[in-house]
Amino acid sequence: MKFKTTVLAATAMALASSVAVAKDMTIVSWGGAYQASQKNAYTDPYVKDHPDINIIWDESSAEAVAKLRAMNEAGNLTWDLVDVDAADSFRLCDEGLAMEIDPDKLLAPAPDGTPASEDFGAQLVNSCYIPQIVYSTTFGYRNDVAEWNGATPTSICDVFDLEKFPGKRALEKRPINNVEWALLCDGVSKDELYDVLATDEGVERALAKLDTIKDNVVWWSAAAETPQLLADKEVVIGSTYNGRLFSAIAEQDQPIDMLWDAQVFSFDGWIIPTGLPEDRLAMVEDFVKFATDTQRLADQAAYISYGPARASSAPLVGKHATLGIDMAPHMPTDPANSKNVIYYNFEFWADHRDDIDAKFQAWLAQ
Amino acid sequence: MSESSTAPLTTSDGVPLKVSLAKALRREKLRSFLLIAPLLFFILISFVAPIADMLFRSVENAIVPDTLPRTVVALEDWDGSKGELPGEPVYAALAADLKEAVKEKLHTRLGSRLNYDMPGASSMFRSTGRKVEKFTDGNYKEQFIKADKDWGNINFWEGLKQLSSRYTDGYFLSAIDMERDSTGIHFKPEEQRIYLMLFGRTLMLSVAITVSCLVLGYPVAWLLANLPLRTSNLLMILVLLPFWTSLLVRTSAWKVLLQDQGVINDLLVWAHIISNDNRLPLINNQTGTIIAMTHILLPFMILPLFSVMKTISPSYMRAAKSLGATDWTAFWRVYFPQTIPGIGAGAILVFILAIGYYITPELVGGTSGIFISNRIAYHISSSLNWGLAAALGTILLGVVLLMFVLYDKIVGIDNVKLG
């Protein structure tokens, strides 16, 4: 009898303690190489120090905005931390689905004591967003196209030059970035881009420029398509995220080169969903503080070629974890690559995306 | 005798038989209802209610009167056609409403809602929200226009007034490429019309897919039903095989096959059927969508056809032939009419599945092969314009129901058989 009681008590205690120990934290990200880099740089070292936390990955970032809204309406929040791109963070912040944060209170200062708000600087694009990386949407081209007679594209406008650079192009099936590039090559200066785009005539002008190459465009909707299309010789030049091109070039040895001209900078980062219970919020805040400190952001660059969002992380960027090559020259933020850069205009696109998208889709369908 | 025939029949305890029977019947009905009640309840909760809720969003517009209650009331007396901005009381009401909305963080939400109809409203509410708390009393009109010059735009106020009621037909108008302004309802400019064309294309391509499924599936189903069991079982596994492969894998496989530098074009060039410069555009257009979706939906045509053909006795064909019919006449006059219920079932299944597809068209349809569901998906997951998505979905549902009624009128729904 006594033995039985002891066993029961021990079991009960083991159960109770295991319940107390296992704290689940659900992190939403994009899957693939990007999520792997976050796992290597953020969660693996964090879990080593916090063995009581169990990380659950959910690869839903692409539908995060809609799903968060649905969770919010249903009153059942199952996510703790969500990785979204900066444009989505505007919608989430506006809808009240993402929590507003105080960067200096939540985020770690730089090693030299610079407060986080200064270290992140302009990258803190709205009051909810905690950026991790700077990525760019830019072009890659095949370097073995016989019809080009040895010429290589050096300017964004070469994309629109079918005579000098014949062949198919891959562009994203949405207006963002494409209309900016079209206007730049139609003679609009970078400072006036969005003033022009805000008018009906400006949008028409951009679409007219895109019309000149429309018959030679393959439109993509998933960023992985462009490297594939390039590798299959389906297209000779195409836009996608720079990290996708890096892995095609450096990891898969494809005959592709980068065209950095007029690359569009944007960010990817965290938002904390509104309405987390206090204990979960405390857990998430502790993790975010760790995962966005100077060293962690620099570490991530060893696994994927995206630039850290903190100024203080840049000098710490080292070599690729498995290839052993220097990562700095492959960063979109590298001075040699970022001579001519467009900054994604979040406010403009938050206002005009639906409107221009409708016109763009109608133009596509013609 | 005559007396007993007019007196009502009663049971042994004196209750009229009719009443007693009805009572027993009612009990029976109640019992059978209770048996299906769990399923009915489940369907109501998990199927009917969410759909009804989603459809309701296509007219719901409470966010405007709820967030700006005072402004909406103040705007009632204002008439935009005179070309004058609303007066100071409206701006004062707006300031009071906005101050409250900012506290609850509702102003940016309203901004996103208004932005669907008035591009620019999103940043207008975001930036004004930051400034409105510092507004001093009085002279609100000037302060608002200083905060964002669009507060002095008469078109914005007209738009706001139109959207100030609890329910709106705006989403439905947008869904059929129309809009409403001060002069009434009319079509949007040509370069912004897209949905009617997409509805038309979705129907047209779905019919094309259904027809090609039928043409390809009919002979296969016939083989399945008539071959010896061992061979037909093997064939059946081949038919079902696509079901066990992920949709994305199947679609990607078609990419490899159909693209310009893909297997099919390479083979054709190798066989000198086409020249290297004239490779066939088989993907990223309607052809790609039709080919890939026919493949994916083919089993849904074959299976009902097969189960109907299986029940047709081979002796009918033999009888027809022994009476002097040619092979074709025997097939067309005797066999084919008996398979019509299977064709009906397969065609409805394939057509309805096709009309709602969006992953495959998105991946292989390019620009000319996408469906209305791709735009619905965009509004659900990217633009968050769930009202418009709901309106488009409602119309699609309506069209499908209409097709159903038409089908019933022409073929007869009783004529559908799954086996």
Side-chain angles (χ1 to χ4, degrees), chain B residues 76-99:
Chain B
E76 266 168 21
D77 304 328
W78 175 71
D79 182 9
S81 58
K82 285 179 194 143
E84 274 170 36
L85 280 172
E88 184 65 19
V90 174
Y91 284 93
L94 180 69
D97 283 337
L98 261 188
K99 274 179 192 164

Side-chain angles (χ1 to χ4, degrees), chain A residues 4-60:
Chain A
K4 207 173 159 190
T5 329
T6 325
V7 170
L8 276 177
T11 324
M13 272 184 60
L15 274 175
S17 62
S18 73
V19 167
V21 161
K23 270 200 287 184
D24 288 342
M25 176 155 64
T26 307
I27 301 181
V28 182
S29 187
W30 300 91
Y34 185 66
Q35 185 176 308
S37 76
Q38 291 177 316
K39 187 173 176 296
N40 284 321
Y42 308 160
T43 59
D44 281 354
Y46 186 76
V47 169
K48 214 177 264 173
D49 292 342
H50 299 79
D52 56 325
I53 286 180
N54 177 32
I55 307 273
I56 299 167
W57 290 97
D58 187 333
E59 304 179 357
S60 300

Side-chain angles (χ1 to χ4, degrees), chain B residues 272-351:
Chain B
H272 293 290
I273 296 172
I274 54 172
S275 73
N276 198 19
D277 298 330
N278 290 316
R279 285 173 176 255
L280 300 174
L282 296 172
I283 201 165
N284 296 325
N285 51 27
Q286 298 188 353
T287 320
T289 302
I290 294 179
I291 292 177
M293 282 184 56
T294 300
H295 168 236
I296 285 162
L297 296 175
L298 200 51
F300 294 99
M301 181 63 88
I302 293 178
L303 293 177
L305 273 177
F306 162 71
S307 60
V308 166
M309 286 178 179
K310 197 80 190 157
T311 61
I312 301 174
S313 164
S315 50
Y316 295 156
M317 286 283 274
R318 281 204 297 273
K321 278 186 212 166
S322 73
L323 291 171
T326 59
D327 281 355
W328 170 252
T329 318
F331 166 75
W332 187 245
R333 301 284 296 278
V334 174
Y335 192 81
F336 182 79
Q338 297 184 76
T339 61
I340 283 180
I343 295 177
I348 287 188
L349 262 180
V350 170
F351 181 77

